[in-house]
Amino acid sequence: MRSRTLVPTLGAFLESEEAAHSSAPPDWIHVLAGLARAGTRIARVVARTGLTGTLPRTGDRNVHGEAATRIDQYAHNAVVEEVAADEMLCCIVSEEAEDLMPIPSSHPDGGCILALDPLDGSSNLGVNVPVGTIFSLLPYSSSDGGPGAGLTLTEILRPGRDQIAAGYVLYGAATVLVYTSGRGVHGFIRDPESGEFLLNRRDIRIPSPSARHYSTNEAYTRRWNPRQHELVRHFKRPPPEGAKGFSARYIGSLVADIHRTLLVGGLFMYPAFRGKPEGKLRLMYEAAPMGLIMEQAGGRATNGTEDILDIRPRHIHQRTPLFAGTRELVDAAASHLEGEAANSE
Ligand code: AHM
Ligand code: MG
């Protein structure tokens, strides 16, 4: 039997593997450690929502000194508190903050941007469905240079390909942390007894052959364009003799849907449709980090046709359609969707 003490903690893994092998700036491990601490705090509050409703009675105050009133705001505050002192960060982009949040004590010569969805899918909490925190770390180097120069938005609106690291914390039956810094994807489970995140999966690869799952909200079918219709019709066709047909899976909570897709394979889709011409999910702190995770695990992510990681955001809260998962399924979707503009309603 494998002794538990031999399983590396997140801290030990970061010290040994990241410091030795990653091309990310060495200090980034402090940011990840801060995100793990915030994840622990958020997990505790998420677990109590059944008792307290979605209003945590923590007495915490938000960045403006106001009492925290919503669990998403609590999650945002928890992350900011845990990472803000890190000299590596010059600003935070958060789903919970309309504007860019500069960090006054930032590294004077540049630093990094943390893009963040503090608590994605929180509307699911009332029914005990898993939710998650999504993060993305991008480099920032001010071309105007130096302290007091102010943050230059064009330096912040970087394509996902520039990410130094990305990942998520999933608050489910277990609290799971998954990250990549461009050298594979690693997964940790939080041990409720020791409070440590323990290495559970090193170098995660989307399995091949993968599960034949498609994952989308089919209630929007009537608003899809003809190519999206045809794609899903294709998945529903009877498989050739001896082959396995498709099955559907959709939780409606991005981190949980992506985590399943990462571990067993399949195709997650949140397309654009009539009424949501850019889809729903946010590019900088939802789609791009999941795109890097997928690519590092041997999968792919697109907006239907174009690689998510190649898209440069026009503004910090930009939305995008997202197709992510097993590479061959994402590719198949892209060939079905090619030219969809010409066919859309
Ligand atoms: P949120 O940012 O308001 O929490 O919404 C994001 C969530 C994702 O977790 C999920 O993939 C998607 O919304 C589900 O949307 P829909 O209910 O339209 O299927
Ligand atoms: Mg969200």
Side-chain angles (χ1 to χ4, degrees):
M1 200 173 90
R2 198 167 61 159
S3 159
R4 198 169 220 191
T5 54
L6 295 178
V7 179
T9 62
L10 176 65
F13 186 81
L14 291 178
E15 291 291 339
S16 60
E17 303 285 320
E18 281 292 315
H21 305 299
S22 170
S23 51
D27 281 354
W28 101 268
I29 65 175
H30 304 304
V31 178
L32 187 58
L35 287 160
R37 285 194 303 276
T40 297
R41 288 172 59 184
I42 297 165
R44 203 172 295 133
V45 174
V46 162
R48 298 193 72 236
T49 48
L51 299 171
T52 60
T54 51
L55 303 175
R57 290 180 200 145
T58 59
D60 284 74
R61 304 203 159 257
N62 68 17
V63 283
H64 311 292
E66 300 154 349
T69 51
R70 295 164 53 230
I71 192 164
D72 329 52
Q73 191 64 50
Y74 172 86
H76 167 92
N77 294 349
V79 176
V80 172
E81 284 160 15
E82 296 294 348
V83 303
D86 204 295
E87 293 219 322
M88 211 189 160
L89 297 179
C90 63
C91 65
I92 294 176
V93 168
S94 167
E95 182 170 342
E96 289 301 311
E98 199 177 330
D99 299 320
L100 193 68
M101 295 176 58
I103 297 180
S105 62
S106 65
H107 194 286
D109 305 320
C112 290
I113 306 153
L114 179 67
L116 177 74
D117 186 348
L119 197 60
D120 183 72
S122 56
S123 60
N124 289 301
L125 275 175
V127 287
N128 208 15
V129 163
V131 293
T133 298
I134 312 169
F135 57 88
S136 158
L137 197 68
L138 288 152
Y140 179 85
S141 59
S142 169
S143 40
D144 305 334
L151 294 165
T152 314
L153 198 58
T154 49
E155 292 287 345
I156 286 158
L157 299 174
R158 285 173 174 266
R161 186 82 54 208
D162 288 355
Q163 288 172 104
I164 293 166
Y168 56 79
V169 184
L170 172 63
Y171 311 105
T175 299
V176 170
L177 186 151
V178 171
Y179 85 89
T180 181
S181 60
R183 289 181 60 98
V185 180
H186 310 297
F188 298 78
I189 292 187
R190 185 175 178 275
D191 175 1
E193 281 173 25
S194 67
E196 296 278 5
F197 281 96
L198 301 176
L199 181 64
N200 171 246
R201 292 170 189 266
R202 183 196 286 261
D203 202 8
I204 299 171
R205 307 293 296 170
I206 298 185
S208 177
S210 83
R212 293 177 67 78
H213 291 162
Y214 74 87
S215 178
T216 196
N217 188 337
E218 281 199 83
Y220 303 135
T221 304
R222 69 192 184 287
R223 292 154 69 187
W224 287 349
N225 69 44
R227 298 241 170 176
Q228 181 68 34
H229 266 283
E230 177 45 35
L231 174 61
V232 173
R233 258 199 303 271
H234 165 77
F235 292 140
K236 290 178 175 174
R237 288 199 185 109
E241 187 78 20
K244 206 160 179 257
F246 274 85
S247 181
R249 296 281 186 283
Y250 188 69
I251 300 168
S253 184
L254 180 66
V255 182
D257 277 313
I258 289 288
H259 190 63
R260 180 201 59 246
T261 306
L262 180 69
L263 296 190
V264 303
L267 175 63
F268 171 85
M269 298 175 278
Y270 203 112
F273 49 81
R274 198 164 10 95
K276 280 198 187 344
E278 296 199 295
K280 176 180 185 185
L281 302 173
R282 312 288 183 148
L283 177 56
M284 283 190 75
Y285 43 80
E286 293 179 327
M290 295 314 194
L292 190 63
I293 293 272
M294 285 295 160
E295 200 173 284
Q296 283 289 314
R300 192 182 173 206
T302 69
N303 65 358
T305 53
E306 191 182 351
D307 260 298
I308 279 293
L309 297 179
D310 293 331
I311 303 173
R312 185 178 285 278
R314 296 183 308 279
H315 55 90
I316 60 175
H317 297 298
Q318 183 175 324
R319 297 177 194 271
T320 178
L322 177 64
F323 293 70
T326 303
R327 182 168 280 271
E328 74 198 59
L329 296 177
V330 178
D331 289 349
S335 10
H336 270 84
L337 297 170
E338 229 112 49
E340 80 174 359
N343 288 270
S344 42
E345 296 164 62

